[in-house]
Amino acid sequence: MMNPTSPERVRQDCRLIGQTLLKLALPRLLIRAVVLVVAAIVWLLVASWLLDFGRSLSFDSLQALGQQTSDFLARINPYVWWGVVVIWTLIVFFIVRAWVGSDIAAARARPVPSADLATLASQLSDEVLSVLRWVWGSRDEPFTVGDLRQALAELRHSRIGKMDLVRQQGDILEGRAARQQPAGGPSQAQPPIVPPSSQATAQPDARPAGTRIEPNL
């Protein structure tokens, strides 16, 4: 039986997470593939039409501008239309890239179905589940496909070992703070020290009865 923290068990859990991600992402992957194929076909058809249209142009009607001008336009004509094809290619590329980026973001924000998450969690070790909880963070939002993908990346970069090291360092620092606190608890408040000058109070001079007191003139 494998140790839950062994590399073999972690790799097995990574494979399970990867299979779950593939299952959840497969419909979107098929849609992206179809869109990319359609975009490539449209680009190819339009590019072929532009090149054929450029080759079909004739400059014989521009003989009034001179034979040199007509020959010059005929020479540069293919390059002009190849430039148009390049511009068309850039337009298609940026449109497709923007759509793919937005589709990936939407797929990452999709919540993981509770049934799939329960099935996956029942097969994972406690250490891997702790990484999934760590990735989820504050849990203000549902657990998403992006969270599951991030958990897989963290597992491949030794997140379990890092979390264990954090716990060890926390225990060390907390233990040091406890040792710095006095064993007898908080010290009792000492009574304030009264200066000797304030302890002496003005007492009347003790004089024998019947003694006459001379006034000071």
Side-chain angles (χ1 to χ4, degrees), residues 15-212:
R15 284 193 295 269
L16 292 173
I17 295 175
Q19 293 172 1
T20 303
L21 284 172
L22 180 61
K23 174 185 175 182
L24 296 174
L26 186 59
R28 303 301 306 178
L29 291 176
L30 294 177
I31 294 176
R32 290 175 203 163
V34 172
V35 171
L36 290 176
V37 170
V38 171
I41 294 174
V42 172
W43 169 84
L44 182 60
L45 292 176
V46 174
S48 299
W49 179 84
L50 289 173
L51 293 176
D52 292 340
F53 177 79
R55 282 191 294 265
S56 65
L57 290 178
S58 176
F59 300 97
D60 295 337
S61 60
L62 300 177
Q63 293 294 335
L65 299 177
Q67 186 63 34
Q68 292 182 351
T69 302
S70 178
D71 294 341
F72 174 74
L73 292 177
R75 285 195 305 270
I76 68 172
N77 180 61
Y79 303 103
V80 171
W81 288 102
W82 273 109
V84 174
V85 170
V86 170
I87 296 174
W88 163 246
T89 303
L90 292 176
I91 292 174
V92 173
F93 170 75
F94 284 111
I95 291 175
V96 171
R97 190 180 72 166
W99 179 84
V100 170
S102 63
D103 187 71
I104 291 176
R108 290 178 65 90
R110 176 191 172 192
V112 178
S114 300
D116 295 332
L117 186 60
T119 303
L120 177 64
S122 63
Q123 301 174 4
L124 299 179
S125 61
D126 294 338
E127 289 77 9
V128 174
L129 287 176
S130 66
V131 174
L132 267 65
R133 289 190 292 266
W134 177 83
V135 168
W136 197 5
S138 59
R139 306 183 186 183
D140 295 332
E141 299 293 336
F143 192 83
T144 63
V145 175
D147 294 330
L148 190 59
R149 188 180 301 275
Q150 182 181 355
L152 179 59
E154 294 291 343
L155 287 170
R156 290 174 175 173
H157 290 82
S158 305
R159 174 54 58 183
I160 294 178
K162 294 177 182 178
M163 293 176 65
D164 185 62
L165 180 60
V166 168
R167 284 192 293 267
Q168 294 178 9
Q169 292 175 341
D171 294 340
I172 292 173
L173 295 179
E174 291 175 1
R176 180 178 180 183
R179 289 193 301 270
Q180 288 179 349
Q181 184 178 0
S187 58
Q188 297 180 355
Q190 299 293 333
I193 300 175
V194 180
S197 58
S198 62
Q199 292 179 353
T201 56
Q203 298 292 339
D205 295 338
R207 299 179 181 273
T211 304
R212 181 181 178 182

